[in-house]
Amino acid sequence: MTCDINVELLKEKIRNIPNFPYNGINFKDITPLLSSRNYLYILTEMLLEKYRNKGITKVIGIESRGFFMASILAYGLNAGFVPIRKSGKLPFECFERKYKKEYGEDVIQIHSDSLTADDIVLIHDDLLATGGTILAAYELVKSMGVKHIYVNFLVELTHLSGRCKLPENLDVSSIFKLDS
Ligand code: AMP
């Protein structure tokens, strides 16, 4: 089975939930993809193949659906796992970044001792929509002076052009590109 066929097969396991959690949002539910042991295995292997030879030392997962695959990838890449969480959830001293959401502002945080200048980092989230969350996460991690940053999503909603918010030379990848 080639990788392209895998992607199309796996894509069918992403469930649309119209008007969740708000009216007008077509929520992409990845839980059917993750609950299948065959599909989870294929998905994990695809991601590991992509990032295996990059020398990644830390995988950062963005709360909360980013935690699922980020933890698995950290294990598979023999890297550490670091969470980025919403304000007030992490117990130790944090660095933080504010960002604009559709309605109002949000704050994300990371432990101040979680990354070093030697780290090669993969930031992972389940989905790229408008790009506000990943831009804040990228800027937060960059401000900590790591050696290199990669960014990965399972799903990219291409019609929302979130990628355009990120620097052009940043290595950004997504497995599933959806346009609705
Ligand atoms: P954004 O900052 O607009 O790129 O939104 C990305 C974040 O919001 C990710 O952490 C996603 O988990 C979540 N998100 C936004 N839109 C959706 C959607 N349609 N389906 C599932 N999650 C979404």
Side-chain angles (χ1 to χ4, degrees):
M1 226 190 301
T2 70
C3 250
D4 284 348
I5 293 170
N6 282 337
V7 167
E8 288 312 309
L9 267 179
L10 266 56
K11 208 187 246 184
E12 288 168 19
K13 285 279 181 184
I14 299 171
R15 182 161 55 191
N16 287 306
I17 312 281
N19 301 315
F20 180 88
Y22 308 109
N23 254 348
I25 303 286
N26 187 23
F27 189 84
K28 304 294 177 188
D29 178 17
I30 57 168
T31 61
L33 180 58
L34 302 184
S35 66
S36 154
R37 66 174 173 172
N38 290 336
Y39 286 17
L40 179 61
Y41 180 83
I42 295 168
L43 180 65
T44 303
E45 283 302 310
M46 285 166 66
L47 286 165
L48 290 179
E49 193 180 305
K50 179 160 183 54
Y51 290 106
R52 201 169 263 134
N53 296 318
K54 311 271 193 219
I56 288 165
T57 55
K58 303 264 170 68
V59 181
I60 299 179
I62 301 180
E63 183 174 2
S64 58
R65 287 175 294 276
F67 292 169
F68 304 145
M69 289 309 294
S71 321
I72 295 173
L73 291 178
Y75 176 81
L77 295 171
N78 191 26
F81 169 77
V82 174
I84 282 185
R85 301 203 64 182
K86 302 277 162 57
S87 184
K89 303 275 183 70
L90 289 170
F92 185 63
E93 179 190 281
C94 289
F95 296 133
E96 65 181 35
R97 197 101 192 165
K98 268 198 199 113
Y99 65 104
K100 282 210 174 83
K101 302 222 315 180
E102 209 175 343
Y103 303 110
E105 281 189 335
D106 220 336
V107 178
I108 49 168
Q109 297 185 321
I110 190 168
H111 274 157
S112 59
D113 65 348
S114 58
L115 301 174
T116 71
D118 290 331
D119 276 323
I120 298 174
V121 164
L122 171 62
I123 306 175
H124 169 85
D125 201 0
D126 67 322
L127 183 139
L128 172 64
T130 65
T133 309
I134 191 61
L135 178 64
Y138 167 74
E139 288 177 344
L140 183 56
V141 170
K142 191 164 171 51
S143 73
M144 294 171 76
V146 299
K147 201 185 265 179
H148 194 75
I149 301 173
Y150 296 93
V151 171
N152 169 263
F153 305 93
L154 297 183
V155 180
E156 176 174 359
L157 301 182
T158 52
H159 56 293
L160 298 179
S161 305
R163 218 177 245 256
C164 300
K165 286 214 172 78
L166 294 166
E168 239 173 68
N169 60 351
L170 184 64
D171 187 322
V172 182
S173 76
S174 54
I175 304 274
F176 310 106
K177 293 177 177 46
L178 304 175
D179 60 7
S180 64

